[in-house]
Amino acid sequence: MNARRIEQIRDALQQALAPSVLDIEDDSHRHAGHAGARDGRGHFNVRVVSDRFTGLAPLARHRAVYAALGSLMDTDIHALSIDARTPSEQG
């Protein structure tokens, strides 16, 4: 697990989305040897609960997460699984 990457992801998402819940899982170990993992970037799962998603369609929520992560998508993240919800949708 790469703690530095997780902290960078956490910082970026907290700053942009002010989530009430933010869970980040490094799933890179399950993709060892995968063609997309050869460049050293990781596979991550994120669960983000934020008021900022209110009124946004799922695609817009994902775009907001990608925008928050910015260049990390090019330098540190190969694959990202996103669960983006509003506080009223968490369950």
Side-chain angles (χ1 to χ4, degrees):
M1 177 165 56
N2 191 326
R4 181 191 63 82
R5 281 187 176 156
I6 289 176
E7 284 309 307
Q8 287 178 309
I9 293 167
R10 182 177 309 285
D11 291 346
L13 294 175
Q14 285 178 333
Q15 188 171 43
L17 301 171
S20 57
V21 175
L22 178 57
D23 297 320
I24 303 167
E25 177 187 4
D26 184 346
D27 201 25
S28 300
H29 65 282
R30 296 182 61 200
H31 300 275
H34 178 265
R38 287 189 190 133
D39 63 3
R41 296 182 298 154
H43 291 68
F44 298 90
N45 301 314
V46 296
R47 179 172 176 256
V48 185
V49 178
S50 175
D51 284 324
R52 304 231 174 121
F53 295 141
T54 301
L56 296 180
L59 182 58
R61 294 174 186 192
H62 284 221
R63 286 180 177 154
V65 170
Y66 288 126
L69 294 172
S71 65
L72 289 172
M73 291 302 302
D74 298 323
T75 60
D76 290 87
I77 301 169
H78 170 71
L80 184 67
S81 173
I82 301 169
D83 179 5
R85 300 173 187 252
T86 65
S88 65
E89 295 170 335
Q90 76 177 355

